[in-house]
Amino acid sequence: MDERMPESQQEPTVEEAQARLDKQTGAKEQPIIPELLPLPAGGLKAWVKKNLFGSVKDAILTVVFGALLGYLAYRTFGYVFLNQKVMPDGTVRSGWEVVFDGPLVAYMLGNRFNQTGLTYANVWGAIYLLTLVAGLIAGVSRAHGNVTPLRTTLKILAAPIIGVAAVLVMTRTLTPTLLVLAGVVLFLVVRWAVPKLPERVLRRAGWISMAVVAVAFVVLTGGDPSNVDKFGGLLLTIVVSAGGIVLSFPLGVLLALARRSSFPLIRPIAVVYIELIRGVPLITLLFMGRFAFGFFLPVGWQTPGVITRAIVMITLFTAAYVAEVVRGGLQSVPRAQTEGAQALGLSPLKITRLIVLPQALRNSIPALIGQFISLLKDTSLLVVIGIPELLGITEQILAQLKFKAQGFQPETYAFVCLIYWVICFSMSRASQRLETRLGVGTR
Amino acid sequence: MSAASSSTSTRPPLWRDAKVLRWVGQVVVLALVLALLYWIYGNVQANLRITRLPRGFGFLDQPYGSDIRGNPFRPSQSVWDAFKVGYFNTLRVIAVGIPACTIIGIFIGIARLSENALVRAFGTVYVETFRNIPVLVWIFLAYFVVLSGNLPQINDALEPFGIAVFSNRGIYLPWYETGPNITPFLITAGLGLLVAVLVAAWRTRVNERTGQPHRRVLWGLFTLLVVAGVGFVVFDSPLSGTVPAREGRLVEGGITVDIAYAGLTVALVLYTASHVAEIVRGAIQAVPKGQSEAANALALTNFQRYRFVVLPQAFRIMIPPLASQYLNITKNSSLAVAVGYYEITRVYSTVANNAAPPVQAVVILMGLYLTFSLGISLVANVINRRLQLESR
C-alpha cells in the first residue's frame, strides 16, 4: 500500500518533518539549514549599522526620518510639559487647565451626572465589580496553566497604566489614588485566590462573570436604567459601546447562523438585513433614531429617551457587523466537526449549539474585540445628534466662561484623543495577544 | 419487503419529520418578520396621519428654502435638486479621498516593512496614532483646530510664493481655465490618446517578436504629449492656468476650496490611510518570501522588486479589504455634517429640521448611500474576478 502512494504524501517535506520534531521535543523554531551568514553578532553598534546605516540611501533615510521623528517628539514634549497660554489681559495660564482645573469630572461622567441622584460610589462600585470580573478571568486563565508573561502584560497595559498615573499625578488628590490602588490590590487578590476555588465553580466562571457584569450595571445606574439618559463623557461612551456590543451579540449570532444556513426562506432575510445595514453610514441610522424612531411605534406609545434610542440604533447597526464576524468564525470550524457530530447522531440543533457554535465563537473573540474598538470609536458620532459623550462633552466644557473663546480647543481635543487612544491601543494589543494564544487560523 | 414500503412504514409522523419541520419553521419565521414589517409600516402611516405629515414622497418637489455655500443653488429650487448638489459634493470627497488614501496607505504600509528602523518606527507611529482615534475627532481637529481656528482673516491671508491664498474664508489654489477652442482641442487630445494606445500595442508586439524592451508607457506618453502639444499650439492655447490673486477682501482666479471640505477630506484621507497601510502590509507579508528572495537573486532593485514582483501579487490579496475601506471612506464622508460641508447628510439634516416627513427623508438618505455602496462593491467584484481569472 505504502509504496503505491504518491511521493509527496509518502515522504514528509522538510518543514513537516521539522514541525513534527518540534512538536515531539517541544523545541522552538530551529533553522534546519544553519545560518551561513550569522546575524550581526549582538551589540548596539552592529544593530545600528544593520538597521540604520546599511547603505548610503539608508543613511539618508535615517537622517530624514530621524529629524522628522525628533521634531515630532520635541513638539509633543513642549506641548505637554511647557504649555503656556498668554491671555489677552497678559496673564499666563497653562493650557491643561481646561482638563485638570475642574472639568476632569465632566470628561469622565458628563455634566448632568449629579441630576441622577447617583454618587461617585456607584461608579466606583461598578469599577470594582468589573475589576473583580477581570481578576476572575485572569485567575481562571492561571488555573488552566496559561500564565501571560509579565512583559506581555506590561506591553498591553502600559498605555492605561501611564495614562491613569499621569491623571492622578496631575489632579494631586489622595482619594482617587487610594481608590485606584485598592482596585489593583483587589484584582491581584482575586487573581491569586481564584485557582484555589473548586473546579465546579471554575467551570461556571463565564456565567458568574456575566452575572457580576449585570450587577455592575445595576450598581452603576442605581437600579434605574433611565439614568443612562443623564450620563455623559467617557462613562457614556463606555456604557453605549459596551451596551451596543452586548445587546447586538445575540441578534448577530442569529443572523450569522441564518446566513450560513440552508433555509431558502430565511437566508435572504439575513443577507438583505446585513448588506443593507453595512451599506449605510451609522450616522443615517442615528438620525433615524433621532427623528423617525417615534414614528415606528404605535400611536400613543411614549418615545424612549434620546440615548436609549441611540443605543437601539447602534445595536441594530452592530448586529450586522457582529454577524459577519461570527460568520467568519463559523467558516473557520472544520467540516469534519459537523460530520463527526452527525456520526454521533446529534440533532442539527445540538450540533450547532454544542459543537459548532462554541468553536466558532471562540475563534471570533479577537475579531469581536476589534468590532468593539470600532464601535467605541463610532460612539463619537453621537455628538452629531447632540448627545454629550466623550467628544460631545468638549463643546460644553469649552462653553464654560472660564475657557470660552480663549484658545483652549487644542488641549481639550488632545485630552480626548489621548483617552480614545489609550483605550483602543491597549485593547487592540490585547486582541492580538488573544489571537496568538487562541491560535486562530493555525489550529 | 420493497424499499418503497419500508420507507413509508418508517416515515416519522408529520410533527417529527425533519423535512416538514424545516419548512414549517421557515414559514413561521418569515411570517413573523413580515408581520413585524407590516406592523411598523402601519405605525408609520398612522403616526404620519396624526401628525398631518404627508405620507408620500411629495416633499422632494417642495422648495429647499436655503442657500448652499459655495454653490449657485437658489433657495427656490426643490429639495431633490438640493440632494443632487449634496450627492455631487459627496462624490467630490470620494474622488479625492480614495486615490489619496490609497497612495499614502501604500507608502506607509511599505514603510512599516522597511529595513531601516527609523522608517519602520515612523510607519508604526503613523498607523497606531491615526487608527486608534475616532475619525470624527480627526475631522474636528483638522477643521476646528488646524483650519478654521488657525487660518488668518482674509485681510491678512497667507500667500505662499504668491500662488495660493489661505484664509479662514477659504483656500484658493491655482487651477486651469478653458479658452474658446476647448472642444476641438479635447477631440484632438482624445485622438492622441487613441494613437498612444495603438503605439503602445505596437511596442508590445515588437517586444514579443524581438525581445527588445518595449517601454510602451514612455512611447505612449510621448505620442500623447506630441499630439496634444500640436493641438495646443494649433488651437491657440485653449487651456491655461490661473493663479488666485487677492485684492483686499476679494480673490480672483484659481479655484476656491471650502475649508470644511479641506478639513473633512484631509482628516478622512489620513485616517483611512492608516487602515489601508495595515492592509498593504498584511498583503505584502502574505506574498511568499521566496518571491522576494528570487527577485533579489535576479538582482532586481528594491523598486523593481516591489513594482514587478511583490505589489502585483499583493494587490490581488488586497482588493477585497481595500474595497471595504473605500466603502468606509464613503460612509464616513457623512460626518461632514459635523463641520458644515454640504453633502447629502447635511442636506438631509436641513430638510429634517424643516418639517419634512422624517421617515421618508431618512429612506431617501439611506437609498443615496446604498447607491455608493453598491457601486463600489460592484466595481470591486469585477476587478476581483478579473484578477483571479488571470492568475489561474
Side-chain angles (χ1 to χ4, degrees), chain A residues 126-245:
Chain A
I127 291 176
Y128 285 149
L129 285 171
L130 293 179
T131 313
L132 202 76
V133 172
L136 184 66
I137 293 170
V140 169
S141 170
R142 209 164 69 102
H144 291 167
N146 291 324
V147 181
T148 311
L150 186 67
R151 231 186 110 135
T152 320
T153 316
L154 281 183
K155 224 167 149 186
I156 295 169
L157 292 180
I161 291 173
I162 294 172
V164 171
V167 168
L168 289 178
V169 168
M170 291 301 289
T171 47
R172 292 195 194 88
T173 43
L174 193 59
T175 331
T177 316
L178 290 178
L179 288 169
V180 168
L181 286 179
V184 174
V185 171
L186 177 69
F187 173 80
L188 291 175
V189 167
V190 173
R191 182 172 170 275
W192 169 80
V194 163
K196 307 202 166 13
L197 292 172
E199 178 62 27
R200 201 159 36 90
V201 181
L202 288 186
R203 224 179 312 129
R204 294 190 175 76
W207 294 107
I208 298 172
S209 321
M210 272 187 234
V212 178
V213 170
V215 173
F217 183 74
V218 172
V219 169
L220 182 64
T221 57
D224 179 8
S226 67
N227 274 336
V228 173
D229 279 328
K230 293 204 175 66
F231 285 179
L234 180 62
L235 177 65
L236 184 63
T237 295
I238 288 175
V239 167
V240 168
S241 42
I245 203 96

Side-chain angles (χ1 to χ4, degrees), chain A residues 48-307:
Chain A
V48 166
K49 182 147 172 42
K50 180 170 182 292
N51 283 285
L52 298 179
F53 298 98
S55 64
V56 176
K57 217 169 66 190
D58 237 16
I60 296 172
L61 281 178
T62 301
V63 171
V64 170
F65 279 86
L68 190 65
L69 286 169
Y71 178 73
L72 282 178
Y74 167 74
R75 288 300 298 260
T76 313
F77 181 85
Y79 189 69
V80 171
F81 293 103
L82 312 165
N83 193 329
Q84 302 285 323
K85 284 189 187 310
V86 182
M87 293 294 124
D89 60 3
T91 51
V92 177
R93 292 165 71 180
S94 158
W96 299 111
E97 275 182 26
V98 76
V99 178
F100 297 108
D101 200 10
L104 186 63
V105 173
Y107 283 102
M108 295 297 140
L109 306 177
N111 272 338
R112 296 196 299 161
F113 186 75
N114 42 17
Q115 294 176 18
T116 56
L118 301 171
T119 59
Y120 297 155
N122 293 75
V123 181
W124 282 105
I127 291 176
Y128 285 149
L129 285 171
L130 293 179
T131 313
L132 202 76
V133 172
L136 184 66
I137 293 170
V140 169
S141 170
R142 209 164 69 102
H144 291 167
N146 291 324
V147 181
T148 311
L150 186 67
R151 231 186 110 135
T152 320
T153 316
L154 281 183
K155 224 167 149 186
I156 295 169
L157 292 180
I161 291 173
I162 294 172
V164 171
V167 168
L168 289 178
V169 168
M170 291 301 289
T171 47
R172 292 195 194 88
T173 43
L174 193 59
T175 331
T177 316
L178 290 178
L179 288 169
V180 168
L181 286 179
V184 174
V185 171
L186 177 69
F187 173 80
L188 291 175
V189 167
V190 173
R191 182 172 170 275
W192 169 80
V194 163
K196 307 202 166 13
L197 292 172
E199 178 62 27
R200 201 159 36 90
V201 181
L202 288 186
R203 224 179 312 129
R204 294 190 175 76
W207 294 107
I208 298 172
S209 321
M210 272 187 234
V212 178
V213 170
V215 173
F217 183 74
V218 172
V219 169
L220 182 64
T221 57
D224 179 8
S226 67
N227 274 336
V228 173
D229 279 328
K230 293 204 175 66
F231 285 179
L234 180 62
L235 177 65
L236 184 63
T237 295
I238 288 175
V239 167
V240 168
S241 42
I245 203 96
V246 169
L247 295 176
S248 67
F249 187 70
L251 184 58
V253 172
L254 280 183
L255 282 168
L257 286 173
R259 195 173 183 174
R260 285 271 293 169
S261 73
S262 56
F263 300 140
L265 291 184
I266 297 179
R267 205 177 45 220
I269 301 176
V271 173
V272 167
Y273 180 85
I274 293 170
E275 295 304 328
L276 202 69
I277 297 283
R278 276 160 37 99
V280 297
L282 174 59
I283 191 81
T284 62
L285 287 170
L286 290 177
F287 275 133
M288 189 184 235
R290 181 90 177 80
F291 295 114
F293 196 89
F295 287 78
F296 297 131
L297 299 176
V299 179
W301 282 28
Q302 206 202 342
T303 315
V306 65
I307 292 179

Side-chain angles (χ1 to χ4, degrees), chain A residues 47 50-52 57-58 61-62 65-66 68-69 72 262-266 269 275-276 278-281 283-285 287-288 291-292 294-299 301 321 373 377 380-381 383-384 391 395 409-410 413 416-417 420-421 424-425 428-429 432, chain B residues 22-23 25-27 29-30 33 39-40 43-44 46-48 50-51 53 115-122 125 128-129 131-134 136-137 140-141 144-145 271 275 302 331 334-335 337-338 345 348-349 352-353 358-359 362 365-366 369-370 373:
Chain A
W47 185 89
K50 180 170 182 292
N51 283 285
L52 298 179
K57 217 169 66 190
D58 237 16
L61 281 178
T62 301
F65 279 86
L68 190 65
L69 286 169
L72 282 178
S262 56
F263 300 140
L265 291 184
I266 297 179
I269 301 176
E275 295 304 328
L276 202 69
R278 276 160 37 99
V280 297
I283 191 81
T284 62
L285 287 170
F287 275 133
M288 189 184 235
F291 295 114
F295 287 78
F296 297 131
L297 299 176
V299 179
W301 282 28
Y321 289 82
I373 296 173
K377 288 191 287 175
S380 60
L381 305 199
V383 64
V384 177
L391 181 58
E395 274 175 27
Q409 260 176 346
Y413 291 133
V416 168
C417 278
Y420 278 119
W421 189 84
C424 296
F425 178 74
S428 76
R429 276 287 154 89
Q432 281 167 13
Chain B
R22 236 174 97 90
W23 283 101
Q26 288 190 63
V27 169
V29 172
L30 188 66
V33 171
W39 181 70
I40 290 174
N43 289 340
V44 169
N47 278 308
L48 287 175
I50 285 183
T51 44
L53 284 166
E115 289 182 349
N116 187 307
L118 280 183
V119 177
R120 223 160 42 223
F122 175 77
V125 168
E128 296 295 358
T129 310
R131 72 170 184 174
N132 283 321
I133 293 173
L136 189 57
V137 178
F140 270 46
L141 278 175
F144 290 118
V145 175
Y271 174 80
H275 290 261
N302 244 345
K331 289 189 274 176
S334 60
L335 301 182
V337 71
T345 311
Y348 160 80
S349 72
N353 285 328
V359 181
V362 163
L365 180 66
M366 289 183 166
Y369 275 109
L370 280 179
S373 308

